[in-house]
Amino acid sequence: MIPNDFIQTLLARVDIVDVIDRYVPLKKAGANYQACCPFHSEKTPSFTVSPTKQFYHCFGCGAHGTAIGFLMEYGSKPFPDAVEELARDAGLEVPRVEARPGEAERREQAQDLSALLLTAAKFYRAQLKDAPQAVEYLKARGLTGAVAAQFGVGYAPDGWQPLAAAFPKYDDAALETAGLVIAGDAGKRYDRFRDRIMFPIHDSRGQVIGFGGRVLGAGEPKYLNSPETPLFSKGRELYGLFLARNAIRDAGKVVVVEGYMDVVALAQHGVLYAVATLGTATTPVHVQKLFRQTDTVAFCFDGDNAGRKAAWRALENTLPALADGKNAVFLFLPDGEDPDDYVRKRGKAAFEALIGRATPLSEFLLSELSAQHPPTSAEGRAALVAAARPLVAQLTAPILSALIRRRLAELSGLPETDLRALLQQPGAHDPRPRAEPPGRAGDRRPRRIVSTRRAPSLLRELIQGLLLQPEAARAMALPMPSDGSIEGAALAALVAFCREGESPLTPQGILQQFSGTAHEILFVQALATAEDHGLSEEQGQEHLKAGLARYWQQAKRAGRDDIPGDAAAPTREEGERLRQLEMVRRGTNGDGTEPASGRS
């Protein structure tokens, strides 16, 4: 195990500009460096490297990270190898500490499970050749042997223990852990997958981590997935993404469908940029992965009630990941058809034309809300704004957010200034109505309203200031909110981390610490916004001090009894300075003029 303190020290010693410039030639652009992004195709540079904050960020595809993250992403290096390379360059020796109890065993187990799953995949592929009923089924679905081989499609024979032929030690408990074998009553063991077409699921390195099995013809469940294992989590993985990466970047878009067979059938007809969720709704992690690959994500669903509900869940999980220049669109197929049916009947051109006519996220959002709350009366317009409020609050793309607010103002009949105030009312415990997922288009049944909370934007300001000046956590009275909001949880985690240990605290070190966590995207957005508007570390300190004073003043007015004794009210100068910094962050001086400092 590599100590976290060493990781923080290493990132404080290396220069990310030198690291990236070895692989991607950088050019000076104001205070930063730029290049065409190495992670997606583009002609105008949007890949920015900050020498002050020591992180890279692409304003096109959203790729981001530290020097360690770049070596892992660009060079496909495992974390320890990336750390070793940077340490050699910095003249440091990587220290090792004893792994946590069971850590070595877990790593060994992961390697063993990978080997078992690969053996199973080879077994299933071999079995397909001797299963005429399975071959005929695939032929009837229009698949060729070449496409089946490309996706590693196989067949799980009908029977209780066919895998015993591949694994002489069929009673090995690791087969259960890998999700291949089930232990039944009285010690009876049997294969999880029987008489099914088998689709291996790969991770980002191309390793088999699980399977999806489809019945031949009718039967339930139609699709059977591997269970959650140390290697496989259906909420984090997408079927076909490893094979589709190049096609996605070439096409400039990705289509998200609901079935393995849909992905394979679309590839058979030349649509090579499709992926599928694994028996679960689209998750925020799925969306983040896809936007790392391309700017346009097209969600494809059936046109029935279930399809529209799934689309709504995808919309809710897409909103926080959207950036200006990123597009999410929704296409609904005719009732009774899935992408497999559609492309076989009409061909590639018709399916791609359907993608071209897909409904943009903003239009789908407002049309569904208007269907639930028709703006034909004052009460209906009020309900429309109330339902839109928690959704609009999740948007961090400033231009798209402004355009949606303008359209919402038109629908509600409210002036934009009034609507903006209503959408941004402060208060960590203010109730916010949220509509249920919509039903079939045209369904006007009353919808239940669910109460949620809205965290004040002040929390995001505090996160940004603390990221720019993390050492302040050891000297200032900082809150650790427990209001259940996304921003509150992120701020509490950030404060807790900054107060621990004695290693140097840097923005890049914090990003590395929270890489892959639920807070990563929020922290990246905060740093990218600071970079975009030219906020320096010194301004960040003033930003944090004034913001903290405002926070504790609000807490005092709310009658809270957990206010630290050294939490002071803001001075007039602090309040004015915070107002000026906020104007810089928003891109104006408050009078419509451009700020003196900004992104070059």
Side-chain angles (χ1 to χ4, degrees):
M1 296 291 292
I2 302 173
N4 181 63
D5 282 357
F6 177 78
I7 300 298
Q8 302 297 316
T9 300
L10 176 63
L11 288 172
R13 290 276 295 271
V14 301
D15 185 352
I16 193 172
V17 175
D18 292 339
V19 173
I20 295 180
D21 193 53
R22 293 179 215 150
Y23 302 91
V24 181
L26 299 172
K27 292 184 178 180
K28 195 79 164 63
N32 299 319
Y33 292 81
Q34 285 187 338
C36 286
C37 181
F39 303 114
H40 80 288
S41 299
E42 63 176 4
K43 296 181 179 178
T44 303
S46 59
F47 180 80
T48 301
V49 182
S50 169
T52 55
K53 300 175 181 65
Q54 287 291 302
F55 86 116
Y56 68 89
H57 182 259
C58 177
F59 290 88
C61 71
H64 61 264
T66 64
I68 294 175
F70 180 82
L71 292 180
M72 293 174 64
E73 183 88 6
Y74 185 81
S76 300
K77 295 179 182 292
F79 177 80
D81 292 354
V83 172
E84 289 280 3
E85 180 174 328
L86 290 179
R88 284 197 303 270
D89 295 342
L92 299 175
E93 183 177 350
V94 180
R96 303 285 178 175
V97 297
E98 186 175 346
R100 294 187 299 271
E103 186 67 30
E105 289 79 2
R106 283 192 288 271
R107 284 201 299 269
E108 184 177 349
Q109 180 194 50
Q111 294 174 352
D112 291 343
L113 294 182
S114 295
L116 292 177
L117 291 164
L118 180 58
T119 299
K122 293 178 179 178
F123 172 78
Y124 291 139
R125 284 201 302 270
Q127 293 300 306
L128 180 62
K129 301 174 184 176
D130 299 322
Q133 73 279 21
V135 173
E136 287 303 316
Y137 172 81
L138 294 175
K139 286 183 178 179
R141 300 296 295 266
L143 295 189
T144 64
V147 170
Q150 177 187 352
F151 283 88
V153 177
Y155 172 69
D158 195 9
W160 289 108
Q161 297 183 343
L163 279 177
F167 300 104
K169 294 183 179 179
Y170 189 77
D171 59 348
D172 187 351
L175 293 174
E176 296 173 50
T177 307
L180 296 171
V181 169
I182 296 174
D185 296 335
K188 182 180 179 181
R189 299 167 66 82
Y190 55 92
D191 289 8
R192 177 179 297 275
F193 301 101
R194 303 184 305 279
D195 194 24
R196 288 178 177 270
I197 300 294
M198 297 298 291
F199 301 90
I201 302 166
H202 302 89
D203 64 10
S204 59
R205 296 173 294 173
Q207 293 184 324
V208 179
I209 56 174
F211 293 94
R214 194 200 189 285
V215 295
L216 297 174
E220 293 296 335
K222 182 177 177 181
Y223 285 102
L224 179 65
N225 299 306
S226 289
E228 299 284 311
T229 73
L231 296 182
F232 175 66
S233 173
K234 62 185 179 181
R236 301 186 64 85
E237 305 297 338
L238 289 157
Y239 176 70
L241 182 58
F242 175 73
L243 293 174
R245 289 178 304 172
N246 291 335
I248 290 170
R249 292 179 181 179
D250 291 342
K253 57 180 173 286
V254 60
V255 178
V256 183
V257 295
E258 295 185 277
Y260 305 97
M261 200 66 204
D262 294 326
V263 172
V264 179
L266 287 170
Q268 176 70 62
H269 289 81
V271 182
L272 305 175
Y273 46 87
V275 300
T277 52
L278 304 170
T280 184
T282 304
T283 68
V285 176
H286 291 152
V287 177
Q288 292 165 18
K289 279 191 172 185
L290 293 172
F291 276 136
R292 293 285 294 272
Q293 301 287 330
T294 185
D295 291 340
T296 300
V297 178
F299 295 101
C300 180
F301 297 98
D302 296 344
D304 59 10
N305 187 40
R308 300 194 77 85
K309 285 185 176 180
W312 188 259
R313 287 193 293 271
L315 178 146
E316 289 181 313
N317 286 326
T318 299
L319 287 172
L322 278 176
D324 290 324
K326 297 291 186 181
N327 304 305
V329 298
F330 297 82
L331 60 112
F332 298 96
L333 299 175
D335 284 353
E337 291 192 21
D338 56 26
D340 179 11
D341 300 323
Y342 193 95
V343 77
R344 280 193 289 129
K345 291 178 182 178
R346 298 172 178 85
K348 175 184 177 181
F351 185 79
E352 291 191 321
L354 192 67
I355 297 174
R357 300 192 300 272
T359 304
L361 178 142
S362 58
E363 184 179 328
F364 179 52
L365 169 67
L366 295 174
S367 65
E368 291 293 342
L369 290 178
S370 297
Q372 296 171 43
H373 310 287
T376 55
S377 65
E379 291 80 3
R381 291 191 287 273
L384 172 63
V385 173
R389 184 179 172 189
L391 299 167
V392 174
Q394 295 182 57
L395 279 168
T396 56
I399 298 174
L400 178 62
S401 179
L403 293 172
I404 289 178
R405 288 198 305 269
R406 177 180 297 175
R407 179 62 182 139
L408 186 60
E410 294 172 357
L411 289 171
S412 64
L414 288 169
E416 279 194 67
T417 52
D418 292 349
L419 179 66
R420 187 180 302 111
L422 290 171
L423 293 177
Q424 296 179 349
Q425 285 179 352
H429 300 286
D430 292 347
R432 293 187 301 166
R434 176 172 58 84
E436 281 189 321
R440 184 188 297 270
D443 187 353
R444 296 294 188 269
R445 291 175 296 174
R447 305 277 171 196
R448 180 169 60 92
I449 298 299
V450 182
S451 176
T452 60
R453 295 174 176 177
R454 183 178 193 273
S457 60
L458 179 56
L459 292 181
R460 284 183 180 253
E461 295 176 12
L462 294 178
I463 289 170
Q464 186 179 65
L466 189 53
L467 285 171
L468 292 174
Q469 282 289 339
E471 291 286 350
R474 295 168 177 168
M476 293 183 178
L478 292 165
M480 296 187 69
S482 57
D483 58 8
S485 68
I486 295 174
E487 294 89 346
L491 179 59
L494 179 58
V495 171
F497 171 72
C498 290
R499 286 176 175 170
E500 293 174 357
E502 300 180 356
S503 58
L505 290 172
T506 60
Q508 66 270 28
I510 292 172
L511 280 187
Q512 188 62 50
Q513 173 67 23
F514 287 94
S515 177
T517 70
H519 308 310
E520 177 186 13
I521 296 299
L522 197 157
F523 293 164
V524 169
Q525 290 170 344
L527 280 179
T529 302
E531 191 67 37
D532 199 30
H533 294 291
L535 288 179
S536 67
E537 293 184 5
E538 291 73 18
Q539 288 174 319
Q541 186 172 14
E542 296 182 52
H543 196 68
L544 181 61
K545 287 175 61 178
L548 281 171
R550 278 179 54 202
Y551 181 91
W552 292 121
Q553 189 177 50
Q554 288 182 11
K556 184 176 181 179
R557 286 199 299 266
R560 284 171 49 184
D561 56 5
D562 60 343
I563 303 173
D566 56 347
T571 65
R572 179 177 299 177
E573 291 76 12
E574 287 173 336
E576 175 60 21
R577 183 57 181 159
L578 182 64
R579 188 191 71 81
Q580 293 175 0
L581 287 170
E582 178 62 15
M583 290 303 103
V584 172
R585 188 173 70 85
R586 293 178 181 272
T588 68
N589 287 321
D591 57 4
T593 63
E594 291 294 325
S597 62
R599 186 177 173 212
S600 299

